[in-house]
Amino acid sequence: MIRIEPRTAPGRWMTLGVPVLSAVIALALAAIPLALAGADITVAYGEMVKGVFGSVFAFSEMLTRATPLMFTGLAAALAFRAKLWNIGAEGQLYLGAMAAVAIGAGAVDIPGIFLVPLIVILGAAAGAAGMAVPALLKTRFGADEVVTTLLLNFIILIFVQMMLEGALKDPMSLGWPQSAPVLDQGMLPQLMPRMRVHSGLILALVLAGIAQFMLARSVWGFRLRAVGENAAAARHAGIGVNRSLFGVAILSGGLAGLAGVSEVAGLKGYLTADLSPGFGYTGIVVAMLAGLSPVGVVISALFIASVFVGADSMSRAMGVSSYLADLVVSMSLLCVLIGGFVARYRITRTKTAEGVA
């Protein structure tokens, strides 16, 4: 008779090894469609590596792609730690971007030293507001946040499209639905001359470090982890479960909003309806691959950004579809879910009474 039993305590090496092994297996499995497409696997992966590390520009492009994934990955990781399933980072990203252009496109005329922090703060506040409604529905009425946050993504995107055709529309866009550009003094400073990587990366790294410290060393982090492990036991111990959930929901939404700020005020300079290629949803993969660790989110975001940027380079060099990157990311998630199950449970075989007889 086969039984599935929980492990007493998964080893540290198993916990750290599962995400790494998942990424390796995903890359190995991706070689199958590459071979079927007639590509030389060694050359293809060589082009991927060259597309990320082959030049300073290539490396900076990887960092640029990783920046919003760090924000959305942190948003998902912190919420998931408390068993709050925020699937709405995509919509919260657009709310943060919309707030950035609403303020930064000329609504206030102040020096950049004040305008940039104002854009960042209001962008985070807009993202937090987008998560406040689902959090309130969950804590007050028990509504499923998976449903509410997911559906709110579509509502927010329609609202953004309406605003781009109305109040936020750039009169100089020749009819194209895009916002007015953010003022030069409202743009996030660039980190490298003639490169697109910007100081939003520094902000993401700082926030990841703070989140890691708070989770591991603060009373707030202990309460959050307690709520995530066992909400009933946490409530019995005197922890305000609903207050903790609402607080982490606001924080999660704010981090997702910063992803929108980084894309608008750090990279593109204006808002369009296709600003995000799915950063909010990919952030969930980033968080899961990181084991919900804030520091792990940084590493996971760099890996997934490398896959996307490298796949684009490989596609240009060899004519192979760049959708291979989506395949690698999806298989990484599948592998990490299976690996997480193996890390937490073990399969044992026991003898039945008949077998003993």
Side-chain angles (χ1 to χ4, degrees):
M1 180 178 176
I2 296 176
R3 297 178 58 185
I4 298 176
E5 298 178 347
R7 296 182 186 271
T8 53
R12 183 175 181 84
W13 285 108
M14 180 174 289
T15 302
L16 295 175
V18 164
V20 175
L21 186 61
S22 299
V24 172
I25 292 174
L27 288 172
L29 292 176
I32 298 175
L34 268 178
L36 293 176
D40 186 306
I41 297 174
T42 304
V43 175
Y45 281 133
E47 289 293 336
M48 286 187 69
V49 173
K50 183 180 177 182
V52 178
F53 302 104
S55 66
V56 175
F57 175 77
F59 186 70
S60 72
E61 284 297 293
M62 184 273 289
L63 295 178
T64 302
R65 179 68 72 93
T67 299
L69 294 178
M70 291 181 190
F71 285 117
T72 56
L74 287 172
L78 292 180
F80 288 8
R81 277 276 188 164
K83 295 294 191 295
L84 180 70
W85 311 114
N86 178 14
I87 315 297
E90 186 78 0
Q92 294 146 21
L93 178 153
Y94 273 98
L95 287 177
M98 190 166 61
V101 297
I103 298 300
V108 291
D109 187 12
I110 55 178
I113 193 173
F114 301 113
L115 183 58
V116 170
L118 181 62
I119 290 174
V120 170
I121 292 171
L122 292 182
M131 188 56 192
V133 174
L136 185 63
L137 291 174
K138 178 179 176 63
T139 56
R140 293 294 299 273
F141 306 105
D144 188 342
E145 72 275 14
V146 173
V147 176
T148 54
T149 54
L150 180 60
L151 294 181
L152 199 57
N153 284 336
F154 301 100
I155 295 173
I156 291 172
L157 187 55
I158 292 172
F159 177 68
V160 169
Q161 291 171 341
M162 182 188 72
M163 294 297 289
L164 291 177
E165 295 285 359
L168 293 180
K169 187 173 183 178
D170 184 3
M172 304 298 291
S173 65
L174 301 177
W176 186 257
Q178 71 179 46
S179 73
V182 176
L183 300 176
D184 289 342
Q185 65 264 34
M187 295 293 290
L188 298 176
Q190 301 298 303
L191 295 182
M192 300 180 185
R194 298 185 299 279
M195 304 289 177
R196 300 199 304 165
V197 62
H198 53 82
S199 55
L201 173 64
I202 303 299
L203 178 60
L205 294 174
V206 170
L207 291 177
I210 293 174
Q212 184 70 42
F213 175 82
M214 293 294 289
L215 276 177
R217 302 292 182 180
S218 71
V219 174
W220 174 84
F222 172 78
R223 290 174 177 170
L224 185 67
R225 287 183 281 114
V227 170
E229 291 292 334
N230 192 321
R235 186 177 289 108
H236 182 74
I239 296 175
V241 172
N242 286 345
R243 180 180 297 178
S244 297
L245 287 175
F246 191 81
V248 76
I250 296 299
L251 182 58
S252 176
L255 287 167
L258 288 177
V261 172
S262 73
E263 286 298 284
V264 166
L267 187 61
K268 297 189 176 179
Y270 56 87
L271 173 62
T272 58
D274 60 351
L275 174 73
S276 169
F279 289 133
Y281 300 112
T282 308
I284 297 174
V285 183
V286 170
M288 297 301 296
L289 194 59
L292 307 185
S293 163
V295 171
V297 162
V298 173
I299 300 172
S300 178
L302 292 173
F303 166 72
I304 290 181
S306 297
V307 170
F308 278 119
V309 174
D312 288 340
S313 176
M314 180 187 64
S315 177
R316 292 190 299 269
M318 303 186 64
V320 178
S321 174
S322 62
Y323 285 107
L324 177 74
D326 297 306
L327 182 64
V328 172
V329 170
S330 58
M331 286 194 299
S332 296
L333 176 60
L334 181 61
C335 290
V336 80
L337 291 176
I338 296 173
F341 177 83
V342 173
R344 292 192 300 270
Y345 299 94
R346 61 182 178 180
I347 299 175
T348 60
R349 185 185 295 273
T350 58
K351 295 182 179 180
T352 62
E354 293 180 0
V356 175

